[in-house]
Amino acid sequence: LTLADWDAEAGTITLVIQAMGSSSTLINRMAVGDRFVGIAGPLGRPSELHPAAPGATVVFTAGGVGLPPVFPIAREHLRLGDHVTLIAGFRTKDLMFWTGEDEKLGRLKAEFGDLLDLVYATNDGSFGYAGFVTGPLGEMLEAKRPIAEVVTIGPPLMMKAVAELTRPHAVKTIASLNSIMVDATGMCGACMVPVLLEGRTVRRHACIDGPEIDAHIIEWAKFLPRFHQFRDQEADSLRRHGLGVA
Ligand code: FES
């Protein structure tokens, strides 16, 4: 569930939601006129925009529904005059979205022209680069293209792979984390992110310290299993809502 855009004047926000569990499935079944009782937010810390040095590009690697939260951050960099390389990866061509000329990315390209490089990758090679987002990023790193920083948003394994790729090149890398969140106020601990600081594991919370965290200090091997911590409850919830078995 991602906050993709907003219009302060109209008082609207745009959410992109992939149906995974019962809540997201039921939200996606809402019809025009249905309403939430309330929405809490914004929570956590705002994105930190570091202006890029002249000649450097800010790289975004977005996997699947990582693209919506990448969009407003990339747009903000473009508005600052930074060059942006947006590498958007999808499993297959049929799952691509926002990429048409009169859709979000097409309009962004029309507005900012050469300031924005759009690179598409599909795992099955059905569109653009054949493979994962790490392919085009790896080529940029090997070519020693000046990179101001890499921002990665998407599946945890993809963010880990991006972090491992940039680490030997000492390119600053930020992961915007989609940890499981329960209360989103720092009290329940569900979204805990183990990070390594001065040789010690320290707890961070994606909901109040994040979502953006230095990808090179995250202890990915400890962090990744946490995405499965409520698997039984999720399966039970799907059953109770008559939505099948996870
Ligand atoms: Fe509970 Fe972050 S969601 S501490």
Side-chain angles (χ1 to χ4, degrees), residues 20-22 230-239 243-246:
M20 298 285 286
S22 8
F230 294 114
R231 196 154 40 186
D232 291 347
Q233 290 91 334
E234 286 162 3
D236 185 47
S237 175
L238 282 167
R239 262 193 302 271
L243 299 170
V245 178

Side-chain angles (χ1 to χ4, degrees), residues 85-131:
T85 305
L86 200 170
I87 308 171
F90 302 90
R91 263 190 287 140
T92 182
K93 185 173 180 237
D94 293 344
L95 293 176
M96 293 176 71
F97 60 95
W98 283 13
T99 54
E101 265 180 28
D102 52 354
E103 295 180 294
K104 289 255 186 205
L105 292 189
R107 287 199 295 269
L108 202 64
K109 179 69 182 164
E111 184 177 352
F112 291 99
D114 290 344
L115 215 49
L116 172 64
D117 285 343
L118 280 176
V119 181
Y120 296 121
T122 48
N123 300 4
D124 63 0
S126 52
F127 192 90
Y129 183 93

Side-chain angles (χ1 to χ4, degrees), residues 180-191 205-208:
I180 292 175
M181 295 190 195
V182 178
D183 69 328
T185 58
M187 289 190 284
C188 73
C191 70
H205 292 96
C207 68
I208 52 170

Side-chain angles (χ1 to χ4, degrees), residues 47-66:
S47 295
E48 289 184 19
L49 293 184
H50 307 104
T57 184
V58 182
V59 178
F60 290 85
T61 61
V65 286

Side-chain angles (χ1 to χ4, degrees), residues 74-86:
R75 181 178 59 190
E76 220 48 43
H77 272 285
L78 290 165
R79 286 175 176 166
L80 284 175
D82 291 337
H83 185 278
V84 166
T85 305
L86 200 170

